[in-house]
Amino acid sequence: MMSNYFKFRIILFALAFGLASVTFFNTFYENWKEVKVELPQVESASPLIVFAFKPEDFQITQAELIQDRDLSHYTLGKTFSNCLVELSEFKNCEKQTIKARNFIYNNWKANKRAYIVYEWTGVDTGSDTHIFIEPDENGKWTIALRSTGDFRYQKKVIEDRGISLRYKKATKNDPFEQGTFYLSVLDKNGDLIDKF
């Protein structure tokens, strides 16, 4: 059985090793500007096509997400997340999420333009959903959800529009703490588009 002192030393070593590897890979990435590839010579009637991508190829700008909306006409809410944070920060994050849900719901019920960003994070991925409460071209109030998709492979903005917003109580099958209330966005057929 390991002593607490020995466990503490293992944790310190792992932390130091992790911090050192971050510095190493950041330096490696910043200095590695070009990759030279020598392609094999192939005699074939079919052409060989090679695609090379740079990180910038996967970046979606704020302007692309907002489109031509004038945000001065929108009530702005604070960015909120799915609270995949350290335990010490979890309670504060949960409070902010509850405020954000109320912000969305209250502006929706009052037919007031509003804008807020939901940051979803996972162990090795994440995405942003930009939420716009606004009328559509026919004057019907909608919830426009404009997402970057997976941060690792951002190529285009994904948009969905909901016409209904409902609070639901989380069960063990939901990605929220059981018993908490979350918002679900539904389309014109009553099908779930997103939840936060």
Side-chain angles (χ1 to χ4, degrees):
M1 192 162 190
M2 281 194 274
S3 71
N4 285 339
Y5 175 75
F6 187 66
K7 288 179 188 175
F8 178 71
R9 292 196 50 137
I10 289 174
I11 291 169
L12 280 179
F13 174 76
L15 179 62
F17 182 73
L19 291 174
S21 66
V22 167
T23 303
F24 170 78
F25 285 110
N26 277 345
T27 303
F28 183 71
Y29 176 76
E30 289 171 2
N31 293 317
W32 189 17
K33 302 290 184 199
E34 190 175 303
V35 178
K36 295 185 183 200
V37 178
E38 291 188 28
L39 298 175
Q41 299 298 317
V42 178
E43 292 186 27
S44 170
S46 302
L48 176 64
I49 300 172
V50 177
F51 294 98
F53 295 104
K54 302 181 296 286
E56 306 84 69
D57 294 336
F58 298 107
Q59 297 303 311
I60 296 173
T61 66
Q62 185 78 1
E64 288 175 278
L65 285 160
I66 294 173
Q67 289 179 311
D68 56 356
R69 292 172 173 89
D70 181 355
L71 292 184
S72 68
H73 297 193
Y74 290 71
T75 303
L76 306 179
K78 283 189 168 182
T79 298
F80 69 111
S81 75
N82 63 336
C83 296
L84 189 63
V85 294
E86 290 182 28
L87 195 55
S88 61
E89 297 176 29
F90 183 77
K91 286 293 182 196
N92 188 41
C93 182
E94 276 291 302
K95 287 178 187 174
Q96 293 303 318
T97 300
I98 290 168
K99 286 180 182 177
R101 289 174 181 144
N102 289 336
F103 170 84
I104 294 166
Y105 189 78
N106 292 337
N107 281 289
W108 165 255
K109 290 306 262 183
N111 288 347
K112 291 173 71 177
R113 289 178 188 263
Y115 168 64
I116 192 167
V117 179
Y118 174 64
E119 294 177 341
W120 179 88
T121 56
V123 175
D124 63 351
T125 186
S127 74
D128 286 344
T129 300
H130 293 248
I131 304 166
F132 300 91
I133 299 167
E134 61 191 12
D136 65 12
E137 60 277 355
N138 299 318
K140 182 161 179 66
W141 282 86
T142 64
I143 303 107
L145 305 172
R146 295 183 54 79
S147 173
T148 59
D150 190 320
F151 281 147
R152 297 170 297 178
Y153 312 108
Q154 294 179 357
K155 288 181 115 174
K156 64 178 185 174
V157 176
I158 303 158
E159 181 173 320
D160 287 308
R161 280 200 180 259
I163 63 159
S164 179
L165 191 61
R166 296 212 177 106
Y167 268 109
K168 290 198 168 188
K169 191 172 186 178
T171 65
K172 64 181 178 180
N173 298 324
D174 289 309
F176 306 104
E177 188 175 332
Q178 192 170 342
T180 61
F181 287 91
Y182 66 91
L183 284 176
S184 58
V185 181
L186 309 173
D187 66 12
K188 64 182 177 183
N189 300 319
D191 295 326
L192 180 69
I193 295 174
D194 207 345
K195 51 188 171 184
F196 33 81

